[in-house]
């Protein structure tokens, strides 16, 4: 029965995302990007190494190294997905939790033999599925097109799927907490976006260490850097992997995961204790 | 007694924050309510606005956490999700997601209630037909009228064949024919042993349908009893004095309610024939007749009297002239009059 209820909650989130055009909006954007690479960008590979690239039918000049060209395009797609895609995903998802808590809707859900934790987790995971499906569509779509056009299939690009979905899951935990605390869609957008914006600033820890005069302020900077989602660092590692370099330290992953876990657990506790 | 709903000193105190630097004000929305609703009955919960009815119902469904006390559904703590498997609920100001079709909405809520997919496929068309919505299954519910949504909500509450139906204003927005239809459906369910717990402002509807009622006022139970007994005042009131004990016993057995005051005895008879027959017996015994008056006592009368009396006792909104209170009808329980519900 529990699996049945969970599936119903996941399907409901998906259905709402479809009805609100969230799914189709993200899907359409991904499809546009894929279509751009499929129809507009033409690559002629010569002897597997050199290439000519044309955009909108105009020759963009010879390219010496196809592999680097591919890395550049994949890097662009990954950065686009990681920044604008993430922002759009947060923007699109922010309303899904407050809508669940609308008076007249939540009481009926709570009257069912389903725990509150399951209700909120169902919505959270459903939301993650919507964004995950779009991320997979975009990354696999671009990867397939370039693989087909160039004959090169570097799997390193596929790392953009888990890292993007992972950071989104962390930000979605913030969306969930803000949603259950204040039921405000606007605030549920603002807080995670602020975390995204502040992340590259906090990541300049070495520069801050030189600039800040007191030990106290340096420690505060470090504490903030380590205790907030490491969006910039994970993005940087993703790009490094796509460019055939090492992913680097896994610390940004686990500190971000810890942050997301704390946010999600707090959201679940608040939701379980609230009166509706 | 086999009970479907049981509460023990159920209390909910809301804290209202006052800015700045003032201690929060406490408002007892529900104040130590102990209530038992027998299994298989139709029970109406009445009360003026702000009496605590909705908070009480929400505590039964665990949407609101009690400050103190406990609510049980068929003997199980209402806070346990599994206890709610036996409950079908229709909220008052429901807001069903408009992206659902009629079928999709029933399918979703039935799945949450644990109905297997094969059962849902079989039961949903049947249920739509039963509430008069056959043929509307594929239509988005955003296009449904208020009455249609109400019927759909009722179907949603009944689909998993619960043993207890909690309905908040079930006929709100439904036309008179639809109301009768809903009453028929509920009566049918009651005959099959389903407990119907009705929270409604429509006193006529409660009087027509419910067997028992509780009247809440300022978070406490002001009166409980069987509707039949509470409305026993409808008929004729015969007041006599110096009634011999033997005759008094005979008439008490025939009367729906009896009260004695200042040496007079008030007999309440349900119809004219009984009143005339009693009058003949009293005259034969040469008992002085003080008065014979036709009385009307609907549930609305009972409700107004109870609330007014309660208000007078708590000193809030007391009116200059209180209506004369008849003797409590047989079978009713007048609860202790409480302290004021609001505490600061």
């Amino acid at each position: 029965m529990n699996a049945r209820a969970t599936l119903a909650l996941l399907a409901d989130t998906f259905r709402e995302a479809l009805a609100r055009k969230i799914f189709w909006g993200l899907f359409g954007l991904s499809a546009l990007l894929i279509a751009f690479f499929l129809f507009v960008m033409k690559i002629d590979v010569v002897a597997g190494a050199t290439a000519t690239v044309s955009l909108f039918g105009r020759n963009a000049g010879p390219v010496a190294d196809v592999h680097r060209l591919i890395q550049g395009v994949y890097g662009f797609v990954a950065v686009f997905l990681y920044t604008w895609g993430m922002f759009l995903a947060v923007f699109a998802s922010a309303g899904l939790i407050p809508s669940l808590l609308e008076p007249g809707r939540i009481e009926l859900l709570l009257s069912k033999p389903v725990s509150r934790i399951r209700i909120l987790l169902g919505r959270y995971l459903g939301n993650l599925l919507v964004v995950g499906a779009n991320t997979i569509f975009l990354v696999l779509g671009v990867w397939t097109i370039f693989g087909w056009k160039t004959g090169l299939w570097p799997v390193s690009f596929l790392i953009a799927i888990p890292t993007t979905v992972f950071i989104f899951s962390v930000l979605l935990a913030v969306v969930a907490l803000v949603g259950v605390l204040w039921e405000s869609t606007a605030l549920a957008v603002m807080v995670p976006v602020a975390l995204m914006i502040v992340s590259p600033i906090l990541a300049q820890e070495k520069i801050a260490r030189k600039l800040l005069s007191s030990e106290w302020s340096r420690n505060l900077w470090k504490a903030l850097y380590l205790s907030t989602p490491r969006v910039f660092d994970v993005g940087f590692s993703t790009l490094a992997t796509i460019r055939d370099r090492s992913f680097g330290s896994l610390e940004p992953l686990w500190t971000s995961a810890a942050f997301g876990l704390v946010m999600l657990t707090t959201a679940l506790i608040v939701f379980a204790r609230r009166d509706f | 007694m086999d009970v479907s709903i049981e509460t023990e000193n159920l209390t909910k105190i809301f804290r209202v924050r006052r800015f700045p630097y003032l201690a929060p004000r406490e408002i007892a929305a529900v104040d130590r309510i102990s209530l038992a609703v027998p299994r298989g009955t139709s029970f109406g919960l009445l009360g003026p606005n702000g009496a605590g009815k909705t908070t009480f119902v929400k505590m039964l469904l665990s949407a609101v956490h009690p400050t103190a006390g406990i609510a049980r559904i068929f003997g199980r703590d209402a806070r346990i999700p599994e206890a709610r498997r036996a409950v079908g609920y229709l909220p008052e100001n429901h807001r069903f997601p408009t992206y659902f079709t009629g079928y999709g909405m029933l399918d979703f809520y039935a799945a949450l209630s644990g109905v297997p997919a094969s059962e849902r496929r079989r039961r949903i068309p049947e249920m739509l037909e039963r509430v008069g919505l056959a043929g509307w299954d594929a239509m988005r519910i955003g296009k449904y009228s208020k009455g249609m949504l109400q019927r759909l909500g009722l179907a949603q509450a009944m689909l998993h064949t619960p043993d207890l139906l909690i309905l908040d204003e079930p006929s709100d927005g439904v036309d008179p024919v639809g109301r009768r239809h809903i009453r028929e459906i509920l009566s049918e369910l009651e005959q099959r042993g389903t407990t119907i717990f009705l929270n409604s402002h429509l006193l006529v509807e409660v009087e027509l349908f419910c067997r028992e009622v509780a009247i809440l006022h300022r978070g406490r139970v002001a009166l409980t009893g069987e509707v039949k007994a509470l409305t026993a005042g409808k008929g004729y009131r015969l007041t006599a004095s110096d009634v011999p004990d033997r005759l008094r016993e005979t008439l008490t057995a025939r009367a729906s309610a009896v009260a004695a005051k200042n040496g007079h005895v008030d007999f309440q008879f349900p119809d004219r024939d009984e009143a005339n027959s009693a009058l003949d017996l009293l005259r034969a015994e040469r008992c002085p007749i003080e008065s014979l008056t036709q009385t009307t006592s609907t549930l609305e009368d009972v409700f107004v009297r109870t609330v007014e009396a309660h208000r007078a006792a708590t000193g809030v909104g007391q009116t200059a002239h209180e209506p004369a209170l008849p003797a409590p009808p047989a079978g009713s329980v007048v609860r202790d009059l409480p302290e004021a519900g609001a505490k600061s």
Side-chain angles (χ1 to χ4, degrees):
Chain A
M1 186 264 148
N2 284 341
R4 192 178 295 132
T6 306
L7 276 176
L9 290 163
L10 289 177
D12 180 50
T13 313
F14 227 90
R15 202 182 286 123
E16 185 167 346
L18 286 172
R20 288 174 170 233
K21 314 285 187 285
I22 292 169
F23 185 85
W24 294 119
L26 295 174
F27 185 83
L29 201 71
S30 303
L32 263 179
L33 203 63
I34 290 171
F36 171 81
F37 290 121
L38 183 61
F39 299 113
V40 180
M41 193 175 195
K42 194 179 170 199
I43 304 170
D44 294 318
V45 179
V46 183
T50 57
T52 56
V53 177
S54 58
L55 277 172
F56 298 102
R58 296 186 67 180
N59 201 325
V63 176
D65 189 343
V66 181
H67 192 69
R68 285 194 66 184
L69 167 75
I70 296 298
Q71 278 183 349
V73 171
Y74 284 168
F76 164 77
V77 173
V79 170
F80 175 82
L81 181 66
Y82 201 77
T83 52
W84 287 106
M86 189 83 73
F87 172 75
L88 288 175
V90 167
F91 192 78
S93 310
L96 289 176
I97 301 251
S99 76
L100 182 81
L101 308 179
E102 282 177 351
R105 181 176 180 183
I106 186 67
E107 296 94 328
L108 188 53
L109 276 176
L110 295 178
S111 75
K112 301 296 172 191
V114 183
S115 73
R116 289 188 179 204
I117 287 174
R118 191 175 292 271
I119 289 173
L120 191 63
L121 275 182
R123 180 121 298 218
Y124 176 85
L125 291 175
N127 219 324
L128 208 56
L129 268 178
V130 170
V131 172
N134 271 293
T135 306
I136 290 170
F137 170 66
L138 175 62
V139 173
L140 281 186
V142 171
W143 188 66
T144 307
I145 286 163
F146 272 85
W148 171 57
K149 285 191 171 186
T150 63
L152 300 172
W153 302 89
V155 288
S156 59
F157 176 51
L158 299 183
I159 197 173
I161 296 174
T163 54
T164 304
V165 174
F166 167 72
I167 285 296
F168 177 73
S169 72
V170 174
L171 296 175
L172 189 61
V174 180
V175 169
L177 178 59
V178 173
V180 296
L181 274 176
W182 294 293
E183 296 179 30
S184 162
T185 303
L187 213 57
V189 173
M190 284 156 67
V191 177
V193 167
L195 286 170
M196 281 175 71
I197 292 169
V198 90
S199 173
I201 301 166
L202 288 173
Q204 310 310 315
E205 200 212 348
K206 284 176 186 164
I207 299 170
R209 194 176 284 276
K210 289 177 191 163
L211 292 176
L212 294 170
S213 55
S214 68
E215 192 59 29
W216 175 87
S217 53
R218 282 195 288 271
N219 285 339
L220 179 69
W221 189 286
K222 189 169 186 181
L224 282 172
Y225 172 54
L226 293 177
S227 62
T228 50
R230 309 269 286 273
V231 181
F232 178 81
D233 290 346
V234 175
F236 194 81
S237 296
T238 304
L239 207 55
T241 309
I242 290 169
R243 288 174 178 162
D244 287 344
R245 290 200 292 267
S246 158
F247 187 84
S249 167
L250 293 179
E251 189 199 73
L253 287 181
W254 67 257
T255 57
S256 301
F259 175 87
L261 209 61
V262 169
M263 290 292 119
L264 189 60
T265 307
T266 313
L268 289 170
I269 291 169
V270 171
F271 183 63
R273 297 179 65 166
R274 260 195 68 175
D275 289 330
F276 292 97
Chain B
M1 181 173 60
D2 196 6
V3 292
S4 51
I5 296 172
E6 190 182 12
T7 64
E8 278 175 31
N9 291 317
L10 198 64
T11 303
K12 181 64 191 181
I13 296 172
F14 289 113
R15 289 184 154 213
V16 182
R17 286 186 192 145
R18 291 187 291 178
F19 184 81
Y21 313 121
L22 288 172
R25 186 167 169 247
E26 291 186 341
I27 296 172
V30 171
D31 193 3
R32 290 165 286 161
I33 289 185
S34 296
L35 198 69
V37 177
R39 186 191 275 260
T41 195
S42 46
F43 194 96
L45 188 67
L46 305 171
N49 293 334
K53 304 187 298 291
T54 302
T55 306
F56 180 78
V57 167
K58 283 184 176 182
M59 280 195 282
L60 295 180
L61 299 163
S62 209
V64 168
H65 300 293
T67 309
I70 191 165
R72 291 192 194 89
I73 291 171
F74 297 112
R76 302 180 79 173
D77 190 333
R79 288 170 298 183
I80 302 167
E82 210 49 34
R84 299 193 292 273
R85 187 184 290 278
V87 181
Y89 174 53
L90 173 65
E92 184 184 1
N93 296 312
H94 50 70
R95 196 177 292 178
F96 303 127
T98 50
Y99 52 79
F100 277 126
T101 59
Y103 188 99
M105 182 242 182
L106 293 182
D107 189 61
F108 171 61
Y109 287 113
L112 289 185
S113 299
V115 182
S118 57
E119 280 288 292
R120 300 201 298 268
R121 278 194 292 275
R122 186 178 62 79
R123 281 194 216 164
I124 290 172
E126 286 174 11
M127 195 53 77
L128 283 168
E129 184 152 358
R130 194 168 179 196
V131 297
L133 289 175
W136 290 86
D137 54 340
M139 179 73 80
R140 290 247 171 155
I141 63 172
K143 294 195 162 58
Y144 280 32
S145 70
K146 179 90 199 299
M148 288 166 74
L149 282 174
Q150 206 65 9
R151 287 160 184 260
L152 191 68
L154 187 65
Q156 167 277 134
M158 297 190 299
L159 195 65
H160 57 293
T161 54
D163 292 324
L164 168 64
L165 261 182
I166 299 179
L167 308 172
D168 218 336
E169 305 289 355
S171 53
D172 188 23
V174 182
D175 59 66
V177 177
R179 279 182 191 180
R180 176 172 288 190
H181 185 205
I182 288 175
R183 265 203 309 277
E184 284 167 5
I185 292 172
L186 296 182
S187 296
E188 212 178 296
L189 288 173
E190 193 200 3
Q191 279 163 19
R192 283 192 209 160
T194 307
T195 309
I196 316 279
F197 188 89
L198 205 64
N199 181 10
S200 176
H201 282 101
L202 297 173
L203 297 171
V204 176
E205 194 169 279
V206 172
E207 189 172 350
L208 278 170
F209 179 71
C210 292
R211 268 197 262 169
E212 292 184 37
V213 290
I215 298 176
L216 297 195
H217 185 240
R218 297 182 62 76
R220 298 199 71 183
V221 178
L223 186 77
T224 57
E226 289 188 13
V227 174
K228 214 172 178 178
L230 292 172
T231 54
K234 196 172 182 179
Y236 294 84
R237 186 187 299 159
L238 179 56
T239 307
S241 49
D242 303 333
V243 183
D245 288 348
R246 188 181 42 77
L247 181 56
R248 189 171 164 167
E249 278 171 27
T250 308
L251 295 179
T252 301
R254 291 184 185 182
S256 51
V258 179
K261 57 183 177 187
N262 305 330
H264 302 322
V265 186
D266 284 343
F267 295 100
Q268 182 73 36
F269 294 104
D271 54 52
R272 194 180 60 184
D273 292 345
E274 284 287 354
N276 273 312
S277 165
L279 187 62
D280 292 343
L281 289 172
L282 287 164
R283 296 291 292 167
E285 293 283 341
R286 297 184 177 278
C287 298
I289 304 299
E290 302 294 336
S291 66
L292 174 61
T293 50
Q294 191 175 7
T295 59
T296 54
S297 181
T298 60
L299 192 57
E300 189 174 294
D301 297 329
V302 176
F303 177 83
V304 170
R305 282 198 298 263
T306 305
V307 170
E308 289 290 332
H310 214 253
R311 194 171 282 163
T314 54
V316 179
Q318 191 171 356
T319 52
H321 53 90
E322 293 295 327
L325 283 169
S332 67
V333 181
V334 180
R335 297 299 178 95
D336 298 337
L337 297 175
E339 299 297 316
K343 298 170 185 173
S344 46

